[in-house]
Amino acid sequence: MQRAFTQVDVFTSVPYHGNPLAVVLDGKGLTTEEMQRFAHWTNLSETTFVLPPTDPAADYRVRIFTTDSELPFAGHPTLGTCHAWLAAGGKPQRPGMIVQECGAGLVKVRETEDGLAFAAPPLVRSGPVEEAFAEHVAGLLRLDRSEIVDIEWADNGPGWVAVLLRDADAVLAVEPAVVDCFIGVVGPYPEGAPHAFEVRALCPFSGGTVEDPVTGSLNASVAQWLLRTGRARAPYVAAQGTRLGRAGRIHVSTDDEGTIWVGGSTVPCVSGHVEL
């Protein structure tokens, strides 16, 4: 049957400069195998399927697939799916606040002047890494251990280890080897620059290294680390994707309750129907 479909670009206000996402707006009746097959075919980092919620507190349910597996949660699919759902006429129960149901549970998404933003999920692993592992990560980044200013676990699911370098230029200069873990590299821009940090996400995939253009989950976990250690002040804007010719912009803010919100603009690029 024909199903409404859209492809959006997340964390950018300029089409084709962010991180693309495929969204099937009606996933009812599809099996897991059918969803996975279509996600593999799109060949994007993630493809999502919108479904009716099973929790009465949620506005919709989403299933998130990479080309070869399902994820309980991911940042740019959350924002992109929510944008697509709203653009297709979705009405949240609470104006200005959308509740998404996904494998990780209920995720709040709110509307801001900088676009949609999701509440950063809690870290499942944090704190210092063992020195032997720090040396290993330095080797994967082809850096001397002394070039790493700080390194900690900042894992909200994928397994992120966060690496702080002296500045944004050092981040952009990294030429990684084949990585065997999920590494987030971050470095500050000078005071007064348009962006506070440059971020890169280096991921193992099929025996090689893949760099993700703009990564919601990494920025959410790195924000918790940077804010906790006093290296960042909210609100701030991080840049990501520069080495890939992208211009991802991630807006990080906090509210009066201490919740960290991670967001940015989303723009539509393709719309129509798919046969599924």
Side-chain angles (χ1 to χ4, degrees):
M1 61 178 286
Q2 286 198 336
R3 300 172 187 269
F5 170 83
T6 185
Q7 194 164 312
V8 298
D9 208 9
V10 186
F11 290 121
T12 182
S13 58
V14 181
Y16 321 119
H17 283 69
N19 200 355
L21 174 75
V23 184
V24 177
L25 288 157
D26 177 13
K28 294 190 297 291
L30 291 174
T31 66
T32 298
E33 291 73 20
E34 289 169 329
M35 292 181 183
Q36 185 64 76
R37 186 182 307 116
F38 184 71
H40 182 78
W41 178 83
T42 68
N43 204 33
L44 296 177
S45 57
E46 280 99 7
T47 297
T48 64
F49 299 83
V50 179
L51 298 158
T54 61
D55 189 315
D59 293 303
Y60 65 88
R61 181 164 70 100
V62 64
R63 295 184 67 180
I64 305 168
F65 290 81
T66 70
T67 55
D68 61 4
S69 62
E70 185 171 5
L71 300 177
F73 169 81
H76 104 272
T78 291
L79 298 183
T81 302
C82 187
H83 175 94
W85 180 78
L86 290 169
K91 301 293 183 185
Q93 300 175 50
R94 183 176 159 194
M97 181 71 73
I98 303 93
V99 179
Q100 171 186 281
E101 180 184 354
C102 59
L106 300 181
V107 177
K108 291 182 179 179
V109 182
R110 69 177 184 177
E111 298 176 3
T112 77
E113 62 182 16
D114 299 309
L116 296 170
F118 66 86
L123 299 181
V124 297
R125 187 177 187 183
S126 60
V129 305
E130 294 181 357
E131 183 54 33
F133 185 66
E135 293 276 1
H136 176 67
V137 171
L140 296 177
L141 298 176
R142 293 186 169 132
L143 298 175
D144 188 88
R145 174 66 179 89
S146 64
E147 296 178 83
I148 295 179
V149 176
D150 198 5
I151 178 171
E152 279 199 14
W153 292 108
D155 181 19
N156 53 11
W160 295 113
V161 58
V163 175
L164 179 68
L165 301 185
R166 69 178 184 277
D167 55 30
D169 287 341
V171 172
L172 292 171
V174 168
E175 298 283 356
V178 176
V179 303
D180 58 7
C181 57
F182 289 82
I183 306 174
V185 190
V186 59
Y189 277 99
E191 193 75 28
H195 316 114
F197 298 94
E198 183 72 34
V199 177
R200 294 177 68 183
L202 307 172
C203 313
F205 184 75
S206 296
T209 298
V210 171
E211 180 164 355
D212 193 53
V214 201
T215 318
S217 65
L218 173 61
N219 277 278
S221 62
V222 163
Q224 294 175 69
W225 177 45
L226 295 175
L227 292 170
R228 174 178 56 80
T229 57
R231 294 188 171 101
R233 298 186 304 273
Y236 72 81
V237 180
Q240 190 180 348
T242 308
R243 276 293 301 264
L244 302 176
R246 310 289 179 89
R249 300 294 180 260
I250 306 94
H251 295 258
V252 175
S253 62
T254 57
D255 61 22
D256 293 340
E257 297 176 352
T259 302
I260 296 173
W261 295 88
V262 179
S265 298
T266 297
V267 290
C269 296
V270 179
S271 63
H273 294 82
V274 293
E275 293 281 350
L276 277 172

